[in-house]
Amino acid sequence: MSAAPTPTSSSLEPLIEFRGISKTYGQGQAAFLALSGIHLGIRQGEFLAIMGPSGSGKSTAMNILGCLDAPSEGEFLFQGVHVERLGRNQRALLRRHYLGFVFQGFNLLARTSAQENVELPLLYRGESALKRHTAAREALARVGLSGWERHTPAELSGGQQQRVAIARAIVTQPLVLLADEPTGNLDSHRSHEIMELLVQLNREQGITVLMVTHEPDMASYASRIVHFVDGEIASDTEQEVRTCS
Amino acid sequence: MFINAILLALREIRRNLMRSFLTILGIVIGVAAVITMVTLGNGATRMVGEQIASLGSNLLILRPGQRMGPAAFGAPNFRLADAEAIRAQVSALKAVAPMVSSGAPLVAGNNNWSSTVTGATNDYFVAGNWKIAAGRTFSEDEQHAGRAVCVIGATIQSKLFGHQNPVGAELRVKNFSCRIVGLLTSKGQGAMGMDQDDVVVMPLRTAQRRLTGNPQDVSVILLSMRDDAAPEQIMPQIRKLMRERRKIADNDDDNFNLMDTRQIAEILSGTIGTITTLLGAVAAVSLLVGGIGIMNIMLVSVTERTREIGIRLAIGALEHEVLLQFLIEAVALSAFGGIVGILFALVSCLGLSALMNMPFEFQPGINLISFAFSALIGVLFGYMPARRAARLDPIEALRHE
């Protein structure tokens, strides 16, 4: 197995940097410019909320940030590594080693216990069964789901499922946690619980959190809010971090 | 890595037990059919070989008439002198046994039975590979004088005497009484399904006088070759002699036929072999159909699990890891189907060979080949769906409903 590209860490350099990133879908007449020449730098330990109306390019930006998609133009540096030059499998290795994902629809494997769901990323890392087991239990404990290891997603509430998803994302101790509308399918009480969990992970584990949301209430937990409009950054504001209740 | 892929695949199969079972059913039936056909076919070949061998070692059968079969209408019988001539002129023969036969009712005590009575010399027992289980063969005097004595087969014994020792007992054949002097060792079923033990043998002269009524004619001559003899040399010699003695003109066909039992065995084995191959091939087609079934289910599975594949890719699964997972799933399914098929075949072979009175022999070769073939089918038919899964775009796959 080829090793993941090893980024060279430097505290002065931003962890993630977009340099004139554009993304075009389709060709010729039907071409659609989703992102046009974005510049964005994200430092380690930030809690960034990406906001904007649908079609503003925030999902496209998130896909590129998550190394799921390649930009059409521009440079994307992750710890100094030019991600735009990497192939599909190399980007997969970046995801495997440095990123964790939380989705709106939870995206857990059905008919699979919480424990096994959380173990999944470790399986691809080739960890031993014992290590997988203990790490998954720890991750589940960290999201407050001790004792729920044997339950399948169907037996868990929406909030609990999202916690399992967060446990799966952090079980590999990633540098960056990408959350795409993590509270989109949850009621407001559960939403705040999830947000507090994310803030806690950001603060205590130093995980950089990138979150797409359209709810200002959720965005208020972030340390920085970036607004996308028509494929461009309309505003980029840092704010006081909301204290957890 | 590889072990992980196997683990993932097995987990997936376990998660969908019912569907997995239905998927492998085609392979199970295919493998079971192939193995059963080939095993039974080989058993039949072996059985025919054994039965022909039990007719007699290196046996030639000389009959009147052009073709083999029971009837020889039109063609004259052989004379006793023909047998003498063969004995005198053809070397490399171990035994020359002229014989006559006639159907006759048999009575002993309160039991009766209808069978074929054979008149023959002691050479008959040599040529026919018969062993004496009890008593003796005919004495010189009995053969010469045509005494009313006989040797009986195991079937006659069980039909007329039960468990009693028949040697020394009287057997009524048609209208005369005959003393049993010997009992033959059982040979079992013959090549065409007839009972070889349903036999009464008496001296040739006795049968000629009392049953067929003609003291010179013989209907069949059995010739047993020595082990070192070459039938391709002996047979033309005998044929030439018989044509001379029966005064057949050069451009006329033979009015007798000479068969080599080994040749019959080869022909029969060849035929059974062809049928076995044919049935095996038909069964192999069903194996292929089973493979298509697996491909079908794997394709459905890939579509159904698009989102799951998206999750795996997002988490950092590489293309070849997803490919391997689905490929191993297909191979594990088909290989498991192969194993179940082998067990099914074992059961059906045991049952069918018992039903058809055939010897059963476990043949590791065909079992291994069938298993390997079923696994190969998993690779062939699993590859396309697996590649489709591996090439999915993670973003599209995650959006899939």
Side-chain angles (χ1 to χ4, degrees), chain A residues 88 95-96 107 116 123, chain B residues 4 307 313 319 321 390:
Chain A
R88 191 179 141 119
R95 294 198 293 274
R96 175 186 297 188
N107 279 341
E116 279 178 278
L123 208 57
Chain B
N4 280 342
R307 192 181 262 262
L313 290 170
E319 248 178 71
E321 288 171 327

Side-chain angles (χ1 to χ4, degrees), chain B residues 29-42 44 271-287 352 356 366:
Chain B
I29 293 169
V31 167
V34 169
I35 296 175
T36 306
M37 289 304 156
V38 173
T39 304
L40 289 184
N42 287 351
T271 310
I272 295 172
T274 309
I275 295 171
T276 304
T277 310
L278 205 70
L279 288 174
V282 171
V285 169
S286 69
L287 199 55
L352 285 173
M356 296 196 281
I366 185 63

